[in-house]
Amino acid sequence: MDGFTALYIFALAAFTGYEVISRVPVILHTPLMSGSNFVHGVVLIGAMVALGHADPEDPVQLVIGFLAVFLGAANAAGGYIVTERMLGMFKAGGRKEGGAK
């Protein structure tokens, strides 16, 4: 796989992800985040596999692979943080942020 192909796949995946998320109503983002954390993990594993198969001589493949791993890890971590905060709202005596106790 050459650098142009890797860049094309990365751009296509980013566009597809944006289109899928932008079509979801805002009110559903938080519940869907907790239900889709496993997808973030699959994406992260795929990014690590792609980075592992990148040609060490091609800096474009290495940069795109590293960027995919970094963004995938940030997405997965953010999903779990949002889920934890969301579940904290439903616990008895849960912490309230920014409001009166």
Side-chain angles (χ1 to χ4, degrees), residues 29-38 40 79-80 82-83 86-87:
H29 280 194
T30 302
L32 287 177
M33 182 67 75
S34 64
S36 65
N37 283 339
F38 75 95
H40 302 293
Y80 285 107
V82 167
T83 300
M86 182 181 68
L87 292 175

Side-chain angles (χ1 to χ4, degrees), residues 5-96:
T5 304
L7 184 60
Y8 177 74
I9 291 171
F10 182 76
L12 187 60
F15 176 75
T16 303
Y18 174 78
E19 287 298 316
V20 167
I21 295 301
S22 67
R23 307 238 187 257
V24 175
V26 174
I27 194 152
L28 294 178
H29 280 194
T30 302
L32 287 177
M33 182 67 75
S34 64
S36 65
N37 283 339
F38 75 95
V39 174
H40 302 293
V42 171
V43 169
L44 182 58
I45 290 172
M48 289 189 290
V49 169
L51 180 60
H53 286 85
D55 182 13
E57 300 295 322
D58 190 358
V60 174
Q61 289 184 26
L62 293 175
V63 168
I64 290 173
F66 176 77
L67 187 61
V69 170
F70 178 76
L71 293 175
N75 201 8
Y80 285 107
I81 290 170
V82 167
T83 300
E84 182 63 30
R85 291 185 71 183
M86 182 181 68
L87 292 175
M89 293 188 309
F90 296 105
K91 292 180 182 176
R95 60 189 165 123
K96 296 184 180 182

